[in-house]
Amino acid sequence: MNVLNHESPSRAWVEVDLEAIAHNLDIARQALPDTELMPVIKAGAYGHGLEPVARRLDNHGIAFFGVANAGEARRLSRAGIRTKPFILGPSFPEEREEIVLNNWCCTISTVEEAAHFQQLAAMYDKTFLVHVAVDTGMGREGFLPEQLADMVPLVKAMPNLKVDGMMSHFPSADEDVPFTQNEIELFNRCVETMQPHFRLRYRHIAASAGELGYEIPAANLARPGLLLYGIAPMASIYDGVLRPTLKLSSRVSLVRELPPGHGVSYGRTHVTAAPTRVATIGIGYADGWNRHLSGKGVRVYINGHYCPMLGRVTMDQIMADVTHVPFVQPGDEVELIGPHIPVTEIAALADTIPWEILTGLGPRLPRVYR
Ligand SMILES: *Cc1c(COP(=O)(O)O)cnc(C)c1O
């Protein structure tokens, strides 16, 4: 494969299937016909590339793009994206002027934050729309439910601030069903407390896992992330329906025969038991191929064969046993994540979650779009 690159030739790259992402968004839409959607594209669309993914989904009838911070929102607006960015986490004070000026949407978790937005909106003589965050169990942002009643009159008295929505976030939708069900009731009660005072156009609490498993009567907006990238966090009707969106590939740079008793890679954690044909492959932890994958039974896929990775992951290279592969030569493609090796398999071996593997794919890997 020929890849345009700042390096020549490409050692490793990521292929992204934008149509598959659009397909997965359609699946979410079909499953939730009465719910609006906020595709979550923070952290460079989970390694798939912020601007290309945003461009593909823009004008796709979506309410917002979920981003991490003002920097990502700015990148979207510079790329000419028309869908409004929604900044998911708390904003820093120094980000807020830009947020207000650009009418990006964000959350408030304290009356102090609200007052700062009010001050900035008054300075520019505009009405600024915010969503009230409520902490129903995540412990990361939001008013505690019992603080809402005291907050209401204070925020209502801020003439340039308009509360347009209310949001929360499940901490364990994929792990603790009873807790999550109680949380949904709590969220419903919070919405009821607020509705008489603010016209809550958007009410949202579910990410991918929450969308799959639960009825949430008070919500009318959902925030799918991982689901868009082809991974269902819970076994569900989505299994087999979602399409994989990303392939991580590298190339063999060298093939050598090593005698028995020869170490492979740093620390010599692997020592050959027999004569072994070893392929050196041009990817390493500096690309996001996590060093915690060392010695965990990871396999790569070369010329139609699974090949065990040998020894530790190094910064720019890994080694694999290709003794059983009839013909391998430098330049051959190596699949690390893709149709034969799901990212969930890699995440489990690294003792982490697919989100971290995807967002860890580094800037040194060129993205190639189909
Ligand atoms: C990241 C994030 C999401 C998306 O989560 P997925 O599990 O990837 O679907 C939704 N909401 C918030 C607040 C987030 O931080």
Side-chain angles (χ1 to χ4, degrees), residues 40 42 46 88 140 167 169 207-208 223-226 355:
V40 175
K42 63 189 177 191
Y46 293 33
L88 293 160
R140 192 168 68 174
M167 68 94 76
H169 188 56
S208 299
R223 307 185 302 258
L226 197 65
W355 292 261

Side-chain angles (χ1 to χ4, degrees), residues 16-331:
V16 175
D17 185 346
L18 293 172
E19 294 316 307
I21 299 175
H23 165 87
N24 296 337
L25 178 63
D26 285 340
I27 296 293
R29 203 192 311 274
Q30 284 158 28
L32 302 162
D34 302 322
T35 304
E36 291 198 67
L37 294 174
M38 178 195 305
V40 175
I41 59 170
K42 63 189 177 191
Y46 293 33
H48 293 66
L50 186 71
E51 289 88 352
V53 171
R55 261 185 222 111
R56 180 62 188 83
L57 303 183
D58 202 20
N59 301 320
H60 225 68
I62 54 186
F64 300 96
F65 277 130
V67 298
N69 54 34
E72 290 179 346
R74 188 186 314 130
R75 281 173 59 186
L76 293 184
S77 85
R78 286 193 181 152
I81 300 300
R82 300 183 49 193
T83 304
K84 200 176 206 194
F86 186 102
I87 297 167
L88 293 160
S91 56
F92 289 100
E94 61 270 35
E95 293 178 315
R96 291 185 192 140
E97 187 168 349
E98 185 182 10
I99 292 172
V100 169
L101 269 172
N102 289 284
N103 301 312
W104 296 331
C105 203
C106 69
T107 63
I108 52 170
S109 293
T110 64
V111 173
E112 292 69 35
E113 278 184 330
H116 191 197
F117 280 117
Q118 158 59 31
Q119 184 203 330
L120 291 164
M123 195 164 97
Y124 290 104
D125 194 22
K126 64 197 294 184
T127 301
F128 183 62
L129 272 53
V130 292
H131 291 208
V132 167
V134 58
D135 184 357
T136 53
M138 176 72 185
R140 192 168 68 174
E141 66 174 326
F143 292 87
L144 296 173
E146 56 271 27
Q147 294 172 331
L148 290 178
D150 289 342
M151 174 275 284
V152 166
L154 298 173
V155 171
K156 250 179 127 167
M158 298 179 184
N160 300 70
L161 214 58
K162 184 174 164 208
V163 174
D164 199 40
M166 174 140 155
M167 68 94 76
S168 185
H169 188 56
F170 294 130
S172 27
D174 52 356
E175 284 168 330
D176 190 339
V177 173
F179 180 86
T180 304
Q181 269 154 353
N182 285 333
E183 213 184 336
I184 289 169
E185 279 168 36
L186 178 59
F187 183 68
N188 290 352
R189 285 202 296 279
C190 292
V191 169
E192 278 165 19
T193 309
M194 297 274 291
Q195 281 283 34
H197 306 285
F198 302 110
R199 200 183 144 267
L200 300 175
R201 173 146 174 243
Y202 295 107
R203 287 124 18 219
H204 47 120
I205 184 167
S208 299
E211 269 175 69
L212 302 181
Y214 304 89
E215 287 281 320
I216 311 169
N220 65 354
L221 173 68
R223 307 185 302 258
L226 197 65
L227 190 59
L228 300 177
Y229 310 106
I231 302 152
M234 300 162 91
S236 74
I237 52 158
Y238 290 72
D239 281 343
V241 182
L242 297 173
R243 280 205 224 142
T245 58
L246 177 145
K247 187 174 176 203
L248 173 64
S249 304
S250 181
R251 303 200 306 168
V252 172
S253 53
L254 189 66
V255 182
R256 297 159 68 240
E257 307 282 342
L258 292 182
H262 201 290
V264 180
S265 196
Y266 290 120
R268 302 180 69 251
T269 54
H270 181 84
V271 176
T272 54
T276 306
R277 191 138 37 102
V278 175
T280 303
I281 298 163
I283 191 167
Y285 60 76
D287 301 294
W289 194 246
N290 201 303
R291 192 168 170 280
H292 288 112
L293 291 166
S294 307
K296 299 280 170 62
V298 167
R299 48 196 194 148
V300 300
Y301 192 77
I302 308 176
N303 297 352
H305 296 265
Y306 286 104
C307 307
M309 191 175 80
L310 300 177
R312 288 190 183 149
V313 175
T314 74
M315 189 184 289
D316 310 311
Q317 303 172 80
I318 58 173
M319 276 68 80
D321 183 346
V322 293
T323 310
H324 59 297
V325 185
F327 188 72
V328 187
Q329 62 176 0

